[in-house]
Every structure is written in structure tokens, then in C-alpha cells.
């Protein structure tokens, strides 16, 4: 692996590494996700995951998913069969599923975390993102540190395209350089519910968004304070992706973060 361009990352808040994940690993994650979906019985209640409608946030199914493998539906999905109706699987695939564990803890990812300055990297959260044909919803502009907060902020996303992602099927969008701004909001526990607290009302800077088009196997490193989003998938093509979020174990992890794992200690790459 060549050394990542840390200068570009510090300038932009993201770094696109083409061809990082071998095709065999992309195949393995997609095949395993399909198996998990086939074995999933949604029962009568389809738990919708939408970043706009926080009705789900009261749902323990979501609140306890940090230490589990759980399935979340698209808000628009009504008639679709389950494999075409899911928004994502989360949030501890990397610890509870052997295929996701192996791919997530491969030495090249450990080296990448080291190159980005992690001293005690911890694999905090994993998500298999479907962005389904036609109904895959947009994800609004946000900073990942809103959801996964440490003091100081250390959360970093490793986002891998498992299908070619472009502007027609809802690739990542980012505001280059805007990771140097403040954290705007926190999504946190307050008793047994979730609330979004505004910390700073500074608007997103008026820089032109860039589309991070990514061929299959491309890994995008996302700074935890970088504003990013993705458009709806209006195409007939799937846009599967795998997102892994790391924090540094040296930082303080607040007890009011939504993601708590009382029964499943966080692990690094070992
Ligand atoms: Fe994000």
C-alpha cells in the first residue's frame, strides 16, 4: 500500500483511495449481507430508519443496535420484498459476524488507521448501507461526530463502495475543507429517549459540494467533522456500501452517546 496523501486529507477532510478493497472482499461482504437478509424475519413491525423522522429513536430496537446486528427499513418501502426494502444493517457487524469481522480487521485497514494517526483505534460502528434502486433515500448533510462523539473528536469513517457509486445512484457528497469548522449538533441520550442538541449555529460554509464518485472497492476516509451527505438513488442500480467508524481509545467516550455497548466491549484491530 502506498502512503496515503495526508496533506490532501488535512486540506479537504476526506481522501478517496481507489481500488483499496479487493473484489473478493467486496464479493464476500455482499454475499454475506444477502445471507443475513435471507435469514431475517421482519415480523409485523418494520422498524424504519430515517434521519429526518426521529420517531424511531424511541425504539429500543435502534437504541440497542450498537451491540447487535439489526435491520432498518427505508421510509418509502411499502410493497418491496425485504431484500429491496432495507435501508441498512447495523451496528456491530464487525464484531458479531465472522465475515465482516475478517474484512474489517484485515491488516491493510489496521495500517490505514495507523497512518491516520490512531494510537489506540477502536472499531466502534459498522453499517451495511443498501441505498436501494428507486427508493434509496437521501442522507441529509451532517457530521459523523454528531452521532459518535469523543472528547477530543476522533471519529473517522472508512466508507467502502461495494457497487459503483455515482451521481445517479446517490454517491457521497462533501464540502471540502469544512471539517475545520465546529461540531454543530449532538445526537444523544436523555433518559430513555434521544435528543438532538445544537452546540453551534454556524452555517455550513458556502463552498461548492463535491461528488465523491467511487468505483467498486474504493475506500473513502471521512473526517468526523466533515459535512457530508448523499442524494436519493433515483436510478435502477443498487448502491451498496460498507461503512466502518473508528474512534481512538485515548479519547473520552461520553456516557450519553446513543451507541452504548454494556455487554460487548469495544475492540481494536487485534
Ligand atoms: Fe455520515
Amino acid at each position: 500500500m502506498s502512503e496515503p496523501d495526508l496533506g490532501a486529507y488535512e486540506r479537504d477532510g476526506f481522501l478517496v483511495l481507489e481500488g483499496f478493497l479487493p473484489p473478493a472482499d467486496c464479493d464476500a461482504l455482499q454475499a454475506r449481507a444477502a445471507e443475513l437478509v435471507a435469514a431475517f424475519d421482519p415480523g409485523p413491525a418494520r422498524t424504519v430508519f430515517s434521519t429526518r423522522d426521529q420517531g424511531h429513536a424511541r425504539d429500543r430496537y435502534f437504541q440497542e443496535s450498537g451491540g447487535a446486528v439489526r435491520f432498518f427499513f427505508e421510509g418509502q418501502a411499502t410493497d418491496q420484498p425485504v431484500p429491496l426494502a432495507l435501508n441498512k444493517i447495523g451496528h456491530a457487524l464487525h464484531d458479531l459476524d465472522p465475515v465482516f469481522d475478517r474484512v474489517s480487521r484485515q491488516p491493510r485497514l489496521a495500517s490505514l488507521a495507523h497512518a491516520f494517526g490512531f494510537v489506540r483505534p477502536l472499531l466502534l460502528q459498522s453499517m451495511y448501507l443498501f441505498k436501494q434502486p428507486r427508493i434509496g433515500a437521501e442522507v441529509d448533510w451532517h457530521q459523523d461526530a454528531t452521532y459518535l462523539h469523543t472528547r477530543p473528536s476522533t471519529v473517522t469513517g472508512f466508507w467502502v463502495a461495494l457497487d459503483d457509486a455515482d451521481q445517479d445512484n446517490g454517491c457521497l457528497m462533501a464540502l471540502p475543507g469544512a471539517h475545520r469548522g465546529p461540531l454543530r449538533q449532538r445526537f444523544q441520550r436523555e433518559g430513555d429517549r434521544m435528543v438532538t442538541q445544537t452546540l453551534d449555529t454556524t452555517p455550513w460554509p458556502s463552498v461548492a459540494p463535491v461528488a465523491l464518485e467511487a468505483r467498486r472497492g474504493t475506500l473513502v476516509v471521512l473526517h468526523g467533522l466533515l459535512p457530508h451527505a448523499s442524494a436519493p438513488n433515483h436510478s435502477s442500480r443498487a448502491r451498496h456500501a460498507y461503512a466502518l467508524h473508528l474512534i481512538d481509545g485515548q479519547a473520552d467516550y461520553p456516557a450519553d452517546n446513543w451507541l452504548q455497548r454494556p455487554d460487548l466491549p469495544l475492540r481494536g484491530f487485534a
Side-chain angles (χ1 to χ4, degrees):
M1 184 175 78
S2 57
E3 286 300 310
D5 187 346
L6 295 177
Y9 179 73
E10 281 167 24
R11 182 190 66 219
D12 297 331
F14 60 83
L15 192 65
V16 178
L17 303 172
E18 276 184 49
F20 188 94
L21 201 72
D25 285 342
C26 295
D27 290 343
L29 293 188
Q30 289 188 300
R32 184 61 186 143
E35 286 177 0
L36 292 171
V37 171
F40 166 58
D41 173 10
R46 286 185 164 195
T47 300
V48 171
F49 184 88
S50 158
T51 51
R52 279 190 177 154
D53 168 19
Q54 293 186 0
H56 75 282
R58 286 183 288 275
D59 189 337
R60 288 179 58 188
Y61 187 82
F62 164 72
Q63 292 188 18
E64 297 169 357
S65 67
V69 173
R70 297 206 170 158
F71 300 78
F72 300 93
F73 284 87
E74 279 292 351
Q76 280 190 49
T78 50
D79 304 335
Q80 289 83 359
V82 169
L84 290 173
L86 291 170
N87 172 286
K88 69 173 180 179
I89 311 173
H91 291 93
L93 285 161
H94 61 292
D95 284 325
L96 298 176
D97 183 85
V99 176
F100 281 88
D101 180 0
R102 174 180 63 75
V103 172
S104 303
R105 290 192 165 85
Q106 61 184 277
R108 296 173 72 242
L109 280 174
S111 298
L112 191 64
H114 182 73
F116 277 80
F118 279 90
V119 176
R120 197 157 78 79
L122 294 174
L123 282 64
L124 175 62
Q125 172 184 272
S126 50
M127 297 186 288
Y128 190 95
L129 306 166
F130 290 94
K131 191 74 95 173
Q132 303 281 3
R134 311 260 182 231
I135 63 163
E138 75 176 309
V139 176
D140 283 336
W141 291 95
H142 68 280
Q143 297 166 298
D144 286 341
T146 289
Y147 300 95
L148 305 171
H149 190 57
T150 66
R151 301 187 185 102
S153 182
T154 58
V155 65
T156 302
F158 287 172
W159 182 99
V160 181
L162 300 177
D163 293 310
D164 294 347
D166 55 37
Q167 293 189 67
D168 291 331
N169 67 354
C171 67
L172 286 172
M173 307 288 294
L175 299 181
H179 62 299
R180 288 189 287 268
L183 179 62
R184 303 325 197 270
Q185 292 187 312
R186 273 198 68 203
F187 178 75
Q188 61 198 62
R189 289 177 186 260
E190 196 175 273
D192 59 358
R193 63 192 196 108
M194 301 292 170
V195 297
T196 300
Q197 181 194 4
T198 296
L199 304 174
D200 192 303
T201 57
T202 305
W204 305 129
S206 55
V207 294
V210 294
L212 305 182
E213 295 195 320
R215 293 187 69 84
R216 187 175 200 244
T218 298
L219 186 149
V220 182
V221 183
L222 293 165
H223 190 285
L225 294 174
L226 179 75
H228 60 284
S230 63
N233 183 0
H234 290 310
S235 81
S236 57
R237 292 175 295 125
R239 199 230 65 182
H240 292 192
Y242 178 57
L244 185 63
H245 284 94
L246 308 185
I247 55 170
D248 201 305
Q250 290 189 313
D252 176 47
Y253 190 81
D256 62 356
N257 272 348
W258 84 264
L259 197 167
Q260 300 293 331
R261 301 200 347 179
D263 305 317
L264 188 66
L266 293 177
R267 292 169 49 210
F269 286 96

